[in-house]
Amino acid sequence: MNDFLTLSTGQRMPVVGLGTWKSAPGQVKQAVLAALDCGVGSGKALRREDVFVTSKLWNTKHDPEDVEEACRTSLAHLGLSYLDLYLIHWPMAFQRGKELMPRRDDGSICYSDTHYRDTWAAMESLVDKGLVKAIGLSNFNARQMDDIISRARHAPVVNQVECHPYLSQADLLSYCRSVAVCVTAYSPLGSGDRPWAAPDDRILLTDPRLAAIAQRYQKTPAQVVLRWHVQRGVVCIPKSVTPSRIQQNLQVLDFSLSEDDMKLLESFNCNQRLIVPAVERDGKRVWRDAEHPHFPFNDPY
């Protein structure tokens, strides 16, 4: 099993990367340094082309006039001249401006009617200008992907979505394969440390069925789950700030799960989305953005 996938652009993307969401301020730098050490070996000179860097366009920057500036801001923060991959974070646009989460007085989000198709056209010009090597999507459903692919000059190479054994995304994965789009799994280990987890929510990494599989292979539960992703052809970006865990997460290419164990992990699926922003309305937890015309999860996949 290779430690990279080849994207439709010909770029080689590592099958296991480092996710940084939820890392506390000051921790990301050390986590990235630890990951680079694991990837290239301590003390070796690192070339820009040895690192695959992905960033995302946020919802308040969907207006075509804002896209290039947002990308250049990310590049300046990272100290880079180009990104390997730049994704539209969500298909839903929020009101333009400086606020990341523009809200009304009642706390609800101020949306914008900018269409993701128009945003995509501006993303394509980033490729033309050499600011990014490739562009992609995040949290898009198959219908929305189709909408973009049918008009694209530069096709999306990736759709980055929540994916783990409780949300196996089999239908979306099958669709993405059919259109040569790579699936990247965020929260690939089920994000047990998500701040809004309810006390009775199941935690994937403590699932006894997973523990039994891990024991058979003499691997950690996390390594088994990451191996499951890799064998399905899914790139995964587990978040960690602990050097020993970062190293463990990268050690998933030296064993294979049997077909039976792959199926067993697949059977954990209960279509449980853990990462969709939710709010209390009339005493019920509901998806915060479900009313947005481009909210992706009203479709089955």
Side-chain angles (χ1 to χ4, degrees), residues 12-24:
R12 288 158 38 124
M13 183 178 183
V15 293
V16 184
L18 175 72
T20 55
W21 177 56
K22 298 195 307 289
S23 301

Side-chain angles (χ1 to χ4, degrees), residues 212-232:
I213 299 171
Q215 199 168 9
R216 280 206 290 282
Y217 291 90
Q218 296 293 290
K219 293 287 182 181
T220 67
Q223 285 172 320
V224 166
V225 173
L226 295 176
R227 180 66 207 182
W228 173 77
H229 284 293
V230 168
Q231 276 182 227
R232 302 170 87 217

